[in-house]
Amino acid sequence: MMALHKFSLKRFFTVACTFALFCAITWKSNANSTYVTNIYSTLTSDTVPPTKNKKPVPLKKVKTDSLINSIGDTSQTIDTIPGTTRDTTINNVDSFSIKTAKDTLDGPVNYEAEDSAVVLVPEKKIVLYGKTKTTFKDITLTAPKVQLDQQTNIITAYGATDSTGNKITRAKFAQNENEFEGDTFRFNFKTQKGLTINTFTKQSEFFVQGAVVKKVDIVTMYVKRGRFTTCNLDEPHFAFVSNRIKVINNKLAVSGPTHPEFEGVPIPIYLPFGFFPLSQGRHSGFLPPQFVVNEQLGLGLEGIGYYKVLNDNFDAIIRTNIYSYGSWQATFSPTYRKRYRYNGGITLTMQHTKTAFVGDPDYAVFKTFNVSWNHSIDQRARPGVNFSANVNFGSTQFNRYVPNDPRRNFQNQVNSSISYSKTWIGKPYNLTLNANHSQNAQTRVVDLILPNGTFTVTTLYPFQKKESIGAPKWYEKLGIGYSGSFQNRISFYDSAVNIKRLLDTLQWGANHRLPITLSLPSLGPLNVSPFISYEEQWIANKFRRVWNDNEKKVDTVVTKGFYTDRQVSMGIGFNTSIYGTFNFKKQTGLIALRHTIRPQFSMNYRPDLSKNHYYMVQVDTSQRKETFSEFQMSGNVFQGYSAGRFGGMSFGIDNVLEGKVRSKKDTSSDAKPKIIHLIDGLSINSGYNFLDTSYYKLQDFLVSLRSTLFEKINITGTAQLSPYAADSVGNRIRRFIWNNGHFSPGRFLGGSISMSTQFSSKPKDPNKLPQFRNNAQNITDPTVLGDQQRLMDYMRRNPGEFVDFNVNWQLSLSYALYFQKELKPDYSGLKNTVHSSGSFQGSFNLTPKWNVSANGYFNFESPNFLDQFSLSISRDMHCWQMSIGVTPIGPYRYFNITINPKASILQDLRINRTRSFQNF
């Protein structure tokens, strides 16, 4: 029986107070409990027991939202320390840091598999089957089979083989810009090290193959039994083979003893080491030469030099050509640039040419030079201001002695220009200053035009209101402008240059023009525009021709000074447009023809302010006289205005003819018809002078034609026709040419016609762009522009090496004819001057891998007719190309055969044999 105790008031009071105290403390607290079903084991759990006696981890403040999301219950805010008061207004709470296991990665590993994924919990491994994809940070791995070991952080990828053991699918590994393909990959996510078997990767333009590749970090790998090649086949046509290679991504590769291999056959040519640059940017280095053979210059090395990068703004190239007979050529090409400001480059070339050898009858020595400079500024540097330079000058015979370059050998005219322009923003002023240079290799005449300036004021409307309300008044459309130009010219022979002779040949002149225009309201379809213009010329020389009775010829007397000539013209012009359409009723391919006529008519008046500058002089022993202007001579920059008053009309008409045809591809009634241009423009212009006191009131007819036939043939033609007949020596007489009994549009005085066309087959692959395209007009960097220009020059010299096998055949044709009647030097009459030339260029594929191309230049005035002809044969050998070129006709004949890789990084690895011959 249990013993009874005496009631104690003191003990009862103590227990009651303690219970009341606990109730007061915890009456607002929540009861938090943890369920065992929410605790599970993961592959990232800590497999190592925690060490004892560790220092306490300091508390961290973390956002409540992240804790809520990690638990998965967003219905309420949870305090991380039980027993604390819940306060939903507090955003940050104290929390202990989470301790991670040693095998935990610093990022999530995402994986997917098309077939299945097997999780081996005891071994802590995951095996993926099918088309798998695994990503970790910047790493992507795809393979038919993948095994991920969490304990070691090693992922292993396997390729797939068929029943015979041949690989059908490789594992692919990508990290940043680096991609690898191989049979087996083993990679450690934590150490970033890996080992691959039978691996393929691309570095720059090189393909690297290795039996075993060890990746030691993100950018470095070692290759055992490796091959370097630019052939993208599994079994490349050629390669550089080495047992040991070290590759630094996008920088360089260094190897041990290296030898080439072709079609799997090793070539017994060993190098002690290999160095393969892989960097994409600019870097200094030597430029390898090319071996050539020239009949006049001997054996030679061309292009040997050095490229130096000074800094981000400057670099330079030095190149040298050396020949066995003693000839040499040195080129120094520095370039400069500043981003968003300007860029440019200079090329200095010295040429020392010796043809044949001492004692030979053809032995000769020539010293020539050439200087070129190009400069341009960025429009964003100074809005409204532009400065550009394209300078090319030197010895007139320089192009003639450039070896193995027929294009430059035939280039007789050399031009240069430097220009500066400024536009005042918000004001109507424009200023242009430029300097021009031209020299002719045949005549050896050098012309310098500097400075040449133009200042213009765009049309101003002085009566126009600043704030116009309603329709403007007619007088508010009255506009006035100004245009002025001046020019200085110096001409001399390159063999006789001194200051005194230069000053003697100095010519200068200026021209001023002040137009006033007025736009009147249209009279229905007729546009009316009155105008008035004042022009003035400043001239430096006056020429007077005098008949010399003793020598029976015309002498010329030149007087230097300051002379002026001026002209005033006024009139009113009318123009409109007339449209007409002719529809064809029959169901033919042609639906309709549309004819557009744009007639223009004006009444003009021009007083004879230049009559005092014209005179008549005897020109032969028969007392025949001709009228001349004292300003019209080749030495003057401006040559004055025409004589006589003009009070009459000027008229002209322009025609456009278009056709509408049915589409051949779509014969349905809803098919959209096609518009073809038959005549883009056919214009005829002339005038009639009522105030002319002579018989010749009707002006010459000026005819021009522009057309594109069948969207293939471009035709441009001009003609000048005189309405008056001529005598036996070519002088016009007082009779219309159509009054001789038969109709004639006029007596032909001169004109020109040019035609060009290009035909080609459809490309085999429409989505494939041409292999080589001239983009020089889109390039502004002088370094790239210079390289592009040199490449284009090389392409023109060796077209067989740049063949587009995507097009089966192509043909280009061009023809130009120029005709003019000119006054003979002895003033005895007119002579006919005719120039006619043509060219062709074409190629066709004999087979998908063989191509034949040819080009030639015709000169119909030359007794040889065919000035130059070149033929080339090319063979596409996948990663290599062979070309054979021959020029049997022309002053510069040559033969060459070249075998070279297609990759630009190996452009200097070529087998070349060249023989050239000159026939001046």
Side-chain angles (χ1 to χ4, degrees), residues 618-655:
Q618 180 181 342
V619 296
D620 56 21
T621 56
S622 63
Q623 304 295 322
R624 185 171 59 88
K625 294 185 177 182
E626 292 285 346
T627 302
F628 298 96
S629 169
E630 60 185 6
F631 296 140
Q632 290 181 358
M633 199 69 179
S634 59
N636 270 340
V637 176
F638 298 102
Q639 301 186 5
Y641 302 102
S642 59
R645 294 185 303 166
F646 184 90
M649 59 181 179
S650 298
F651 52 87
I653 187 173
D654 189 23
N655 301 267

Side-chain angles (χ1 to χ4, degrees), residues 2 67 82 96 210 213 253 293 400 721 866 896:
M2 191 174 181
L67 297 174
F96 291 102
V213 176
V293 179
R400 180 178 180 180
L721 305 175
L866 185 61
N896 74 312

Side-chain angles (χ1 to χ4, degrees), residues 590-876:
L590 185 61
I591 300 176
L593 287 177
R594 178 186 173 120
H595 186 197
T596 303
I597 304 175
R598 297 187 178 94
Q600 55 182 359
F601 175 81
S602 63
M603 298 297 297
N604 307 312
Y605 173 73
R606 187 190 72 236
D608 187 6
L609 302 182
S610 303
K611 60 181 179 181
N612 295 331
H613 302 303
Y614 284 81
Y615 61 94
M616 298 186 66
V617 64
Q618 180 181 342
V619 296
D620 56 21
T621 56
S622 63
Q623 304 295 322
R624 185 171 59 88
K625 294 185 177 182
E626 292 285 346
T627 302
F628 298 96
S629 169
E630 60 185 6
F631 296 140
Q632 290 181 358
M633 199 69 179
S634 59
N636 270 340
V637 176
F638 298 102
Q639 301 186 5
Y641 302 102
S642 59
R645 294 185 303 166
F646 184 90
M649 59 181 179
S650 298
F651 52 87
I653 187 173
D654 189 23
N655 301 267
V656 177
L657 185 62
E658 298 172 312
K660 184 185 295 185
V661 297
R662 291 183 175 87
S663 176
K664 296 181 179 180
K665 297 181 180 180
D666 191 353
T667 58
S668 62
S669 58
D670 297 334
K672 186 177 181 180
K674 184 179 180 181
I675 304 298
I676 59 174
H677 299 274
L678 301 176
I679 298 178
D680 296 327
L682 174 60
S683 61
I684 304 174
N685 295 279
S686 183
Y688 193 88
N689 187 5
F690 294 101
L691 301 181
D692 194 342
T693 57
S694 65
Y695 179 81
Y696 311 106
K697 298 179 182 295
L698 184 61
Q699 308 294 307
D700 292 344
F701 291 92
L702 303 179
V703 183
S704 66
L705 171 67
R706 306 177 308 278
S707 178
T708 303
L709 298 179
F710 314 110
E711 299 182 352
K712 287 291 184 181
I713 304 176
N714 300 316
I715 302 176
T716 302
T718 62
Q720 181 179 0
L721 305 175
S722 174
Y724 301 99
D727 56 18
S728 59
V729 297
N731 296 319
R732 61 182 180 178
I733 59 178
R734 293 173 173 265
R735 178 169 58 84
F736 290 108
I737 194 171
W738 48 77
N739 289 343
N740 55 2
H742 63 275
F743 175 78
S744 175
R747 181 166 53 91
F748 193 74
L749 299 179
S752 65
I753 185 172
S754 62
M755 295 183 294
S756 64
T757 183
Q758 182 175 1
F759 303 94
S760 65
S761 63
K762 294 182 179 180
K764 300 176 184 178
D765 185 1
N767 298 324
K768 184 179 180 181
L769 295 176
Q771 185 176 1
F772 304 99
R773 180 179 293 179
N774 183 9
N775 289 331
Q777 65 273 17
N778 300 328
I779 300 176
T780 58
D781 191 319
T783 306
V784 181
L785 183 61
D787 293 340
Q788 179 77 3
Q789 187 61 44
R790 284 189 291 270
L791 176 61
M792 296 306 300
D793 291 341
Y794 185 83
M795 290 173 61
R796 280 186 282 264
R797 298 196 304 269
N798 304 275
E801 299 183 27
F802 304 90
V803 177
D804 186 8
F805 285 92
N806 192 38
V807 179
N808 284 327
W809 62 269
Q810 55 184 349
L811 177 64
S812 300
L813 301 172
S814 65
Y815 174 77
L817 173 65
Y818 171 79
F819 176 87
Q820 186 68 39
K821 288 184 177 292
E822 298 179 352
L823 186 65
K824 295 181 179 180
D826 58 356
Y827 307 102
S828 59
L830 301 177
K831 65 176 182 178
N832 296 329
T833 303
V834 180
H835 299 285
S836 181
S837 62
S839 66
F840 71 91
Q841 181 176 1
S843 67
F844 65 95
N845 296 338
L846 289 175
T847 68
K849 299 296 183 181
W850 284 94
N851 178 272
V852 178
S853 60
N855 62 78
Y857 301 92
F858 295 97
N859 186 356
F860 296 96
E861 303 172 42
S862 173
N864 298 326
F865 182 68
L866 185 61
D867 271 359
Q868 184 178 351
F869 174 75
S870 299
L871 178 68
S872 63
I873 301 175
S874 302
R875 173 70 163 91
D876 184 8

Side-chain angles (χ1 to χ4, degrees), residues 396-410:
T396 53
Q397 301 298 312
F398 177 85
N399 288 340
R400 180 178 180 180
Y401 298 108
V402 175
N404 305 324
D405 193 349
R407 187 187 67 85
R408 294 197 66 174
N409 301 147
F410 281 105

Side-chain angles (χ1 to χ4, degrees), residues 470-490:
K473 305 295 183 181
W474 66 268
Y475 55 84
E476 294 183 11
K477 297 182 179 181
L478 179 67
I480 182 172
Y482 170 78
S483 175
S485 63
F486 65 91
Q487 189 177 118
N488 297 273
R489 178 186 298 167
I490 299 175

